[in-house]
Amino acid sequence: MEKKFIAIYDLESDKIEIIDDKFRFKCIEDCGKCCIYNEIPLREEYIQKILSLGYEEEYFVDYTKMFYRGPKFLGYGMKKRPFDDACVFLDPETKKCRIYEHRPVACRIYPFVLVKHEKKLEIYVKEDPRCPGINSPDGEGIVEIIKKYFIPIIEELKGEINGNRRSRQEDFISFNRRLETVV
């Protein structure tokens, strides 16, 4: 699947270089297509989070699917239901995720792809024809998307760069203050 380059986020200055200022996105409620058509890698930390919710590993981890980036092992796959090929956590009636607050990072950012190069974060969007939210006329621009979807990921990356950790609430407040001064 092709991806389109839409922005660069500077992890040091919090400045955003917008590559495609016309791009818009809106996650369509009760859609669930991303939960049906995508394969989701599970890093060990997300397996542990889901286990802590009381689910058994056999219920959600597909050990026959393995994800790699080059030679680096990323994780095993999320299991799919046999009757409709959807993620096991997608409620078939409501089309809502049963573990929404604890879902893996790939689910949190879809249809976006984040690629870190030292202190820059490149932001791409997968050109998925099945996703009705891509280029939706009532969608949000990239600055709003970053605020809405990427704050915890960006702050985690910044913590790795700076060697320190803060709470998510401190990250959110600090990030919004910095972003308001930049935009």
Side-chain angles (χ1 to χ4, degrees), residues 91-156:
D91 186 302
E93 293 175 18
T94 66
K95 299 279 193 243
K96 303 242 188 266
C97 179
R98 292 187 180 118
I99 60 164
Y100 186 81
E101 294 300 321
H102 306 280
R103 68 199 189 281
V105 71
C107 299
R108 290 177 187 271
I109 67 170
Y110 191 82
F112 299 96
V113 176
L114 306 178
V115 179
K116 182 176 168 263
H117 293 287
E118 295 181 21
K119 296 180 181 178
K120 305 272 185 188
L121 188 65
E122 295 177 354
I123 303 171
Y124 298 84
V125 63
K126 291 182 182 180
E127 294 183 316
D128 185 347
R130 296 176 294 227
C131 179
I134 296 172
N135 286 318
S136 169
D138 18 309
E140 298 172 305
I142 191 61
V143 173
E144 293 81 17
I145 291 165
I146 289 170
K147 283 183 178 181
K148 191 172 192 176
Y149 296 102
F150 304 152
I151 291 173
I153 296 161
I154 287 171
E155 292 301 334
E156 185 178 314

Side-chain angles (χ1 to χ4, degrees), residues 5-168:
F5 191 25
I6 56 174
I8 300 172
Y9 186 92
D10 187 304
L11 294 166
E12 280 188 318
S13 69
D14 293 316
K15 290 186 178 172
I16 303 167
E17 180 184 340
I18 298 173
I19 307 299
D20 182 354
D21 62 347
K22 291 178 178 39
F23 177 79
R24 298 284 178 267
F25 176 74
K26 178 181 182 182
C27 187
I28 309 298
E29 196 169 330
D30 304 327
C31 171
K33 289 181 182 181
C34 54
C35 305
I36 297 167
Y37 296 111
N38 294 320
E39 296 293 337
I40 302 298
L42 287 171
R43 294 189 328 217
E44 183 60 33
E45 66 188 88
Y46 286 101
I47 292 173
Q48 293 307 315
K49 279 184 184 181
I50 297 168
L51 285 171
S52 74
L53 299 173
Y55 291 97
E56 296 292 324
E57 214 165 314
E58 296 76 29
Y59 176 73
F60 67 93
V61 181
D62 184 343
Y63 288 106
T64 66
K65 293 179 191 166
M66 292 179 266
F67 291 86
Y68 290 87
R69 181 176 297 127
K72 183 180 177 187
F73 176 69
L74 299 177
Y76 293 103
M78 180 79 81
K79 269 193 181 173
K80 299 282 197 140
R81 297 189 299 240
F83 62 89
D84 65 357
D85 210 30
C87 173
V88 294
F89 293 113
L90 180 67
D91 186 302
E93 293 175 18
T94 66
K95 299 279 193 243
K96 303 242 188 266
C97 179
R98 292 187 180 118
I99 60 164
Y100 186 81
E101 294 300 321
H102 306 280
R103 68 199 189 281
V105 71
C107 299
R108 290 177 187 271
I109 67 170
Y110 191 82
F112 299 96
V113 176
L114 306 178
V115 179
K116 182 176 168 263
H117 293 287
E118 295 181 21
K119 296 180 181 178
K120 305 272 185 188
L121 188 65
E122 295 177 354
I123 303 171
Y124 298 84
V125 63
K126 291 182 182 180
E127 294 183 316
D128 185 347
R130 296 176 294 227
C131 179
I134 296 172
N135 286 318
S136 169
D138 18 309
E140 298 172 305
I142 191 61
V143 173
E144 293 81 17
I145 291 165
I146 289 170
K147 283 183 178 181
K148 191 172 192 176
Y149 296 102
F150 304 152
I151 291 173
I153 296 161
I154 287 171
E155 292 301 334
E156 185 178 314
L157 291 171
K158 290 169 84 164
E160 288 172 10
I161 290 169
N162 299 326
N164 59 8
R165 310 295 295 156
R166 295 184 304 197
S167 76
R168 285 189 182 225

